């Protein structure tokens, strides 16, 4: 896209001569960018679909391993998991507002394409050089092209992928928990224990929610913010819990250590 953008703007000379030329550039950018970014959307949806199936089986296997021989974990259908993923919103919008995973992924191509188009439009009316408009879109060599809207689009794509993957993993786990209510009391919110842990995730770490929470999409569950790394784990009945003293790997100033799952963030931080 970078070479396409530079060459297309260069075709008009040092400046975009008139509105007709501006609209022509906008049409060409819209077509090319929507094609490229649209491919990313398709690949991401395909990846998330595969991830939901993998996570469902993985969480079922984990539950089977974590419970005693008296209990056999049941796997929910892939269709049910995908339905729950689509219908359960993420609380990552402004002021904790709901955002659907479909809207998060589907809006990428249009949003990022419009950013480039707006730079072309504003550049024309401000009588900027085509080279300056191109640089605003693609970035500067001095900053290793990290300061243009294309680099921002790449960062946004990474954030969407990470956040969506967290949502898929969380809801797949939820659906497995619901399928196995005999053993699962609820879920335990589990933050990654390191110095990068966000303030909101520190506060939620080790919070326990009973299984009634499975039915309520407004109950707290990851992701709590873009790029969230927090997960959930099953809260099991004592008589069916085969690994009460499981350990989870953490990383602190002294390197890798292992902590009991009962230790929450602020206790660990001390």
């Amino acid at each position: 896209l970078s070479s396409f953008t530079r060459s297309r703007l260069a075709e008009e000379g040092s400046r975009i001569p008139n509105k007709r030329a501006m609209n022509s550039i906008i049409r060409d950018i819209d077509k090319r960018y929507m094609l490229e970014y649209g491919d990313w959307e398709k690949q991401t949806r395909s990846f998330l679909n595969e991830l939901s199936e993998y996570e469902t089986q993985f969480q079922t296997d984990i539950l089977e391993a974590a419970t005693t021989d008296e209990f056999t974990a049941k796997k929910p259908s892939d269709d049910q998991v995908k339905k729950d993923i689509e219908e359960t919103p993420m609380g990552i919008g402004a002021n904790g507002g709901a955002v659907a995973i479909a809207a998060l992924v589907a809006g990428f191509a249009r949003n990022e394409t419009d950013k480039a188009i707006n730079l072309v439009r504003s550049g024309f009316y401000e009588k900027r050089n085509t080279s300056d408009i191109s640089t605003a879109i693609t970035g500067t060599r001095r900053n290793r092209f990290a300061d243009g809207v294309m680099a921002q689009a790449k960062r946004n794509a990474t954030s969407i992928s990470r956040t969506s993957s967290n949502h898929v993993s969380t809801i797949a786990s939820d659906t497995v928990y619901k399928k196995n209510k005999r053993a699962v009391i609820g879920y335990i919110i589990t933050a990654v224990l390191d110095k990068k842990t966000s303030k909101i995730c520190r506060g939620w770490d080790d919070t326990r929610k009973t299984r009634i929470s499975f039915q309520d999409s407004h109950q707290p569950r990851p992701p709590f913010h873009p790029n969230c790394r927090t997960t959930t784990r099953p809260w099991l009945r004592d008589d069916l819990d085969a690994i009460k003293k499981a350990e989870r790997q953490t990383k602190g100033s002294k390197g890798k250590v292992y902590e009991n799952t009962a230790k929450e963030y602020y206790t660990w931080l001390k």
Side-chain angles (χ1 to χ4, degrees), residues 63-64 67-75 179-180 182:
L63 189 59
E64 176 69 22
T67 50
T68 61
D69 293 339
E70 290 78 22
F71 180 79
T72 300
K74 299 176 183 178
K75 178 180 174 292
K179 187 73 173 179
N180 294 276
R182 177 172 165 252

Side-chain angles (χ1 to χ4, degrees), residues 31-261:
K31 181 179 179 180
R32 183 64 178 271
Y33 277 51
M34 286 298 292
L35 178 64
E36 296 285 343
Y37 289 150
D39 283 344
W40 177 87
E41 287 185 4
K42 292 177 183 177
Q43 292 171 15
T44 299
R45 283 193 291 268
S46 177
F47 165 74
L48 293 174
N49 186 61
E50 293 176 4
L51 179 63
S52 70
E53 296 178 4
Y54 170 82
E55 281 291 332
T56 302
Q57 184 62 61
F58 178 72
Q59 294 299 334
T60 304
D61 292 343
I62 288 291
L63 189 59
E64 176 69 22
T67 50
T68 61
D69 293 339
E70 290 78 22
F71 180 79
T72 300
K74 299 176 183 178
K75 178 180 174 292
S77 70
D78 291 331
D79 288 343
Q80 182 60 56
V81 174
K82 292 170 186 176
K83 181 174 182 289
D84 290 349
I85 288 169
E86 290 294 330
E87 293 182 352
T88 306
M90 296 172 279
I92 59 171
N95 299 316
V99 177
I101 189 170
L104 182 67
V105 176
F108 174 79
R110 185 72 271 163
N111 291 339
E112 300 304 331
T113 298
D114 284 347
K115 290 176 185 177
I117 288 174
N118 289 338
L119 285 173
V120 172
R121 185 176 286 114
S122 63
F124 168 72
Y125 285 108
E126 294 170 6
K127 302 186 185 307
R128 298 177 65 187
N129 292 333
T130 52
S131 60
D132 292 337
I133 299 172
S134 177
T135 297
I137 295 173
T138 64
T140 60
R141 186 181 298 276
R142 179 182 57 193
N143 291 316
R144 298 183 179 181
F145 305 103
D147 50 350
V149 297
M150 288 183 63
Q152 184 184 45
K154 184 177 181 180
R155 291 191 291 270
N156 288 342
T158 300
S159 178
I160 290 171
S161 295
R162 288 174 176 169
T163 307
S164 298
S165 296
N166 184 301
H167 175 71
V168 168
S169 177
T170 296
I171 302 305
S173 297
D174 264 12
T175 309
V176 171
Y177 301 161
K178 284 187 287 186
K179 187 73 173 179
N180 294 276
K181 290 181 180 179
R182 177 172 165 252
V184 182
I185 299 172
Y187 62 88
I188 306 169
I189 297 173
T190 307
V192 174
L193 304 185
D194 63 22
K195 302 296 184 180
K196 296 179 181 179
T197 308
S198 68
K199 184 177 181 179
I200 186 171
C201 290
R202 296 174 201 169
W204 282 120
D205 186 45
D206 208 42
T207 298
R208 295 169 183 248
K209 290 293 177 179
T210 58
R211 61 186 171 205
I212 193 172
S213 306
F214 298 152
Q215 314 300 332
D216 187 356
S217 63
H218 298 290
Q219 285 292 335
R221 51 169 59 82
F224 294 114
H225 54 80
N227 297 308
C228 185
R229 300 176 297 160
T230 295
T231 60
T232 65
R233 67 184 193 272
W235 179 8
L236 301 176
R237 278 174 42 182
D238 286 349
D239 60 324
L240 294 177
D241 189 344
I243 48 173
K244 283 276 294 178
K245 296 181 178 180
E247 295 175 325
R248 54 181 167 146
Q249 183 176 329
T250 65
K251 187 175 182 180
S253 58
K254 297 181 180 179
K256 292 183 179 179
V257 295
Y258 289 85
E259 301 290 356
N260 187 282
T261 54

